Amino acid sequence: MAKVSIVNNLDCFAEEFKSISLHGKKIEKAEFESCTFISCDFSQTFFSSCRFIECRFENCNLSLMKLTNTKMSDVTFVSCKMIGIDWTMCDWKSILSADPIRFTECILNDSNFFGLTLEGLVMKECRAKEVDFRNCSLQKGNFSGTDFKGALFENTHLEYANFTDAQNTYIDIRTNHLKGAIFSRYEALFLLEIMGITLV
């Protein structure tokens, strides 16, 4: 159990938080650096003007978490439930890290990344159903093994992104930027079928 409680204006370094529940609560101006969150419930938690630097979340419920004006840099999420998060509410302007966030085996359904620049984003073995990636710059991202059923891609920069073993990648090659992107053979054929090309 963590030695400290998560409260407003908290400034903590290298703490480990286990099984903490902040469901529906509001936390303002708290800063976390090199902290680990394990099996925590932050569903519907409102983080306002907070900072998460080099943090790791494992097996946490973060669904409908709000991140207004909150900064995230070099943050890793593993096996987390993260449904319905609006990532556009974060403060990305001052993020200098080349890889601001990484998701592995997470559920990201119904989330919003509209218009964000997150080059080098990692989203491996995730469920990203009905996620909005329109007008994003996701160059050199790693999306291997992720299910994109119903996800929206339009004017999305996906140059040199890795979609190996990704599923349901309904991406119109006429309205997106895919130079150098890597797809498994079946998904590559699916991209052509979207254009009405008949494959025999």
Side-chain angles (χ1 to χ4, degrees):
M1 189 65 66
K3 299 176 183 178
V4 297
S5 298
I6 298 178
V7 295
N8 294 339
N9 301 300
L10 175 68
D11 188 353
C12 63
F13 175 79
E15 290 284 350
E16 182 176 278
F17 298 89
K18 282 188 177 181
S19 302
I20 299 294
S21 178
L22 292 176
H23 173 75
K25 295 184 179 179
K26 183 175 182 178
I27 302 295
E28 297 183 276
K29 298 181 180 178
E31 298 195 9
F32 306 89
E33 184 173 351
S34 299
C35 292
T36 302
F37 303 86
I38 301 173
S39 300
C40 293
D41 182 2
F42 294 161
S43 58
Q44 299 185 49
T45 303
F46 183 6
F47 289 100
S48 177
S49 301
C50 295
R51 287 166 53 97
F52 293 89
I53 310 297
E54 297 180 8
C55 291
R56 182 180 178 88
F57 294 79
E58 297 180 15
N59 195 36
C60 294
N61 182 4
L62 310 172
S63 293
L64 298 176
M65 175 174 66
K66 293 180 176 62
L67 299 165
T68 301
N69 201 36
T70 288
K71 298 178 183 179
M72 286 203 171
S73 178
D74 196 12
V75 178
T76 299
F77 301 91
V78 179
S79 299
C80 291
K81 184 178 181 182
M82 313 181 69
I83 296 173
I85 296 176
D86 186 353
W87 294 94
T88 68
M89 300 300 291
C90 287
D91 175 12
W92 299 106
K93 300 185 189 73
S94 57
I95 299 298
L96 301 178
S97 171
D99 301 306
I101 44 179
R102 292 175 291 276
F103 306 98
T104 302
E105 297 180 348
C106 292
I107 302 174
L108 298 159
N109 300 345
D110 300 304
S111 295
N112 180 26
F113 292 87
F114 183 90
L116 294 181
T117 297
L118 296 171
E119 297 183 7
L121 173 70
V122 175
M123 193 176 287
K124 295 177 61 177
E125 306 290 337
C126 294
R127 277 186 271 172
K129 299 179 180 180
E130 310 290 340
V131 174
D132 192 345
F133 295 106
R134 291 175 300 165
N135 292 325
C136 284
S137 182
L138 307 173
Q139 299 177 39
K140 300 180 181 178
N142 186 347
F143 305 103
S144 57
T146 290
D147 186 351
F148 289 101
K149 185 176 182 180
L152 300 176
F153 294 91
E154 184 178 335
N155 192 34
T156 307
H157 284 268
L158 299 164
E159 291 92 341
Y160 305 102
N162 181 5
F163 285 92
T164 303
D165 295 326
Q167 303 170 46
N168 301 307
T169 50
Y170 191 92
I171 304 174
D172 192 329
I173 61 178
R174 297 164 296 184
T175 58
N176 292 282
H177 309 271
L178 293 165
K179 180 180 179 181
I182 301 171
F183 290 87
S184 298
R185 185 179 300 273
Y186 176 79
E187 289 298 314
L189 295 175
F190 185 53
L191 295 180
L192 295 176
E193 289 177 354
I194 293 172
M195 298 181 64
I197 295 174
T198 300
L199 302 170
V200 296

